[in-house]
Amino acid sequence: MTVTVSEIRLIKEEEGRSTKKRKEEISATVEAAATAATEEEEEDHDHGNDKFDGYHDDDEKRPWPELLPDDIVFSIIKKLPFLDQRNVKFAFPGWSSTINADPYGPFHLMTRYVGPVQMIRVLDPIDRYSYVLTHIGLTHIMLICSTKHGWLLLSRQFWSSFFFYNPFSQALIELPNNEQFFGTICFSTVPTSSQCIVLVEEFKKDHVKIIFCCRGDSKWKELCFPLENNHSFSAENGNSVFYQGKAYQMAENGKLGVFDPTTKSWFVHNNPNAGVSEPQDGINFLVESGNDLFRVWIDELLLYSVCVYKLDHAGHKWKETRSLGGRCFFVSFNPLCIETTEQFRGERDKIYFSGQTILEGSFIYYDVCQARMSYPLGAIVEGSFYENTCWILPNWDRPSPEEQRWF
């Protein structure tokens, strides 16, 4: 089911429906959820759990939404799908502080074209509604290069210019022009942060080229590092990631390259795979999560075999693991990147893949603890593995005009 998104308010509606009518529908939905939540509270009270001390005489003059304590409001919100949770924030502003802006984890995002205009489709994997972001202001072909914290790093005309875009708040941050062809690309943190760095790595036969741009820079900076024979480095099937202030890149032969933007130095760990059974001919994803650096290897045919490693800092070596520390990973193949959450649908230690199945909203995942793939009944992986698609965490913050200026 596809519904239209109006600005950031995610209105599930037919065109032409009035604001008054929308608010009436939202109120009706909330009142139904409130009735169910209140019945639960009364049941808890009957069992001796006093959570609400009743109404007072002066409460008759106040709107009913303001009379509910936070625990009942939270019970109501839990009964609403993500779409209605967002709408409630506008219908009942007093509840905003109680509503979690990201209750479920990431959306599955895909760009598509309707005539000459590019549109963005997001799929909520919880209620399985598909939303179309309209009036996004993107009229040229845009390629997704990377994603983090609800921001997309996009390129125009095949990597000739870059900008950040938040599809939920529609904020846009332009980067300085650079006409060079780029290799792997990543960024360190939200682009509104003074610590944000955009980094590109190109790997040649005899050198590594690092091109980077820090928040406040009006130009890209370029560094070249010669490679000695024993430090040859090739990294076609893998991503770059920032971890503890440094940019890491996995080579096809297992070496681990590290760029330190503070000291502007590049070095290579030659044998981080010592002691592990090294898989061949696959894709290596590096994942920064909390204080850990993970490596997720996936076979070239995708999803027939998955291996997960965690970096041991003592010897700077990979060790195979059956745990993500309770977290869930969300793998995107175009671009090559991974989002992380503490949990997803109450599940832990799972790796979800961006290729949707024929059951809309059903995704294949890998259970790390049990080391096995899970395919929904009747699932067939679609070609969206290879399209302009990714996972993205909803970020509704509207940056100030100053924050939207890179320099």
Side-chain angles (χ1 to χ4, degrees):
M1 178 178 182
T2 300
V3 293
T4 300
V5 180
S6 175
E7 296 180 345
I8 67 166
R9 301 196 178 190
L10 292 180
I11 302 299
K12 184 172 59 177
E13 59 174 355
E14 297 175 358
E15 291 296 330
R17 190 172 300 180
S18 67
T19 301
K20 180 180 178 181
K21 181 64 174 177
R22 293 198 301 265
K23 288 187 175 181
E24 289 176 354
E25 292 175 350
I26 295 168
S27 297
T29 301
V30 170
E31 287 183 15
T35 300
T38 303
E39 290 174 352
E40 288 183 359
E41 291 294 323
E42 291 176 351
E43 183 178 350
D44 288 337
H45 180 77
D46 292 339
H47 287 84
N49 298 323
D50 294 326
K51 296 184 178 181
F52 183 40
D53 60 357
Y55 297 102
H56 304 284
D57 294 338
D58 58 349
D59 288 338
E60 294 182 0
K61 300 178 181 179
R62 298 169 59 196
W64 71 265
E66 297 181 7
L67 301 177
L68 301 179
D70 288 346
D71 55 349
I72 293 183
V73 172
F74 185 70
S75 297
I76 294 172
I77 297 305
K78 287 195 302 181
K79 296 182 180 298
L80 302 177
F82 180 83
L83 171 67
D84 290 326
Q85 290 191 27
R86 294 300 307 170
N87 290 337
V88 164
K89 294 190 69 171
F90 300 97
F92 305 104
W95 289 7
S96 295
S97 60
T98 309
I99 298 174
N100 186 351
D102 178 24
Y104 296 130
F107 280 173
H108 185 246
L109 180 146
M110 181 186 300
T111 61
R112 65 187 182 94
Y113 298 91
V114 179
V117 180
Q118 186 168 29
M119 304 184 73
I120 292 178
R121 168 186 178 270
V122 291
L123 174 67
D124 183 347
I126 300 302
D127 61 22
R128 297 187 182 180
Y129 279 115
S130 175
Y131 309 112
V132 176
L133 290 155
T134 60
H135 309 295
I136 59 176
L138 303 180
T139 57
H140 299 85
I141 295 176
M142 305 298 171
L143 299 177
I144 303 174
C145 303
S146 188
T147 178
K148 180 180 286 189
H149 305 310
W151 287 87
L152 299 172
L153 179 58
L154 302 176
S155 72
R156 299 183 182 93
Q157 301 173 355
F158 302 101
W159 301 67
S160 62
S161 67
F162 295 87
F163 64 98
F164 286 105
Y165 181 72
N166 182 333
F168 300 96
S169 68
Q170 299 183 14
L172 188 148
I173 300 175
E174 291 282 359
L175 294 176
N177 288 332
N178 193 311
E179 299 300 327
Q180 299 187 58
F181 177 78
F182 286 158
T184 60
I185 186 168
C186 64
F187 59 100
S188 59
T189 186
V190 290
T192 54
S193 168
S194 61
Q195 305 301 312
C196 185
I197 303 173
V198 182
L199 181 97
V200 180
E201 295 174 302
E202 267 194 295
F203 302 97
K204 303 297 185 180
K205 183 177 180 180
D206 59 349
H207 72 276
V208 172
K209 181 187 291 186
I210 304 293
I211 307 168
F212 62 100
C213 188
C214 303
R215 173 86 183 190
D217 290 345
S218 59
K219 296 181 179 179
W220 292 80
K221 301 171 184 177
E222 182 178 314
L223 298 171
C224 285
F225 300 94
L227 291 174
E228 300 176 1
N229 291 332
N230 62 336
H231 279 178
S232 60
F233 203 93
S234 176
E236 294 183 1
N237 291 329
N239 65 318
S240 298
V241 67
F242 273 90
Y243 172 64
Q244 295 185 348
K246 301 179 180 66
Y248 284 71
Q249 171 72 51
M250 190 82 186
E252 293 175 356
N253 59 5
K255 297 177 182 179
L256 194 61
V258 184
F259 173 70
D260 189 335
T262 303
T263 61
K264 296 181 175 56
S265 60
W266 162 268
F267 58 97
V268 176
H269 294 284
N270 279 317
N271 195 23
N273 291 326
V276 302
S277 176
E278 175 64 15
Q280 301 294 323
D281 300 326
I283 303 174
N284 282 298
F285 291 89
L286 295 181
V287 191
E288 177 270 332
S289 184
N291 295 320
D292 299 318
L293 183 65
F294 291 88
R295 171 193 173 196
V296 177
W297 176 89
I298 301 168
D299 66 281
E300 277 191 337
L301 296 177
L302 303 178
L303 306 185
Y304 286 94
S305 181
V306 178
C307 296
V308 182
Y309 306 90
K310 184 177 177 181
L311 188 65
D312 176 17
H313 292 278
H316 223 87
K317 296 184 181 349
W318 296 113
K319 290 189 174 180
E320 195 163 359
T321 181
R322 291 287 184 88
S323 172
L324 301 180
R327 295 176 280 257
C328 288
F329 293 170
F330 300 84
V331 175
S332 300
F333 290 92
N334 189 5
L336 296 176
C337 59
I338 296 184
E339 285 278 18
T340 67
T341 59
E342 291 301 315
Q343 63 173 0
F344 183 62
R345 310 184 196 181
E347 298 290 339
R348 299 179 182 273
D349 295 291
K350 303 288 196 305
I351 300 176
Y352 288 84
F353 299 95
S354 61
Q356 195 184 160
T357 71
I358 59 173
L359 306 174
E360 186 174 40
S362 299
F363 293 89
I364 295 169
Y365 67 85
Y366 177 74
D367 189 314
V368 178
C369 298
Q370 300 184 28
R372 64 176 178 85
M373 300 299 302
S374 178
Y375 294 81
L377 183 63
I380 299 175
V381 178
E382 290 183 338
S384 57
F385 272 122
Y386 306 101
E387 296 176 4
N388 210 20
T389 179
C390 66
W391 291 95
I392 185 170
L393 291 167
N395 179 352
W396 305 94
D397 295 336
R398 279 187 178 274
S400 65
E402 292 76 17
E403 290 176 319
Q404 293 185 65
R405 286 194 289 269
W406 184 259
F407 59 91

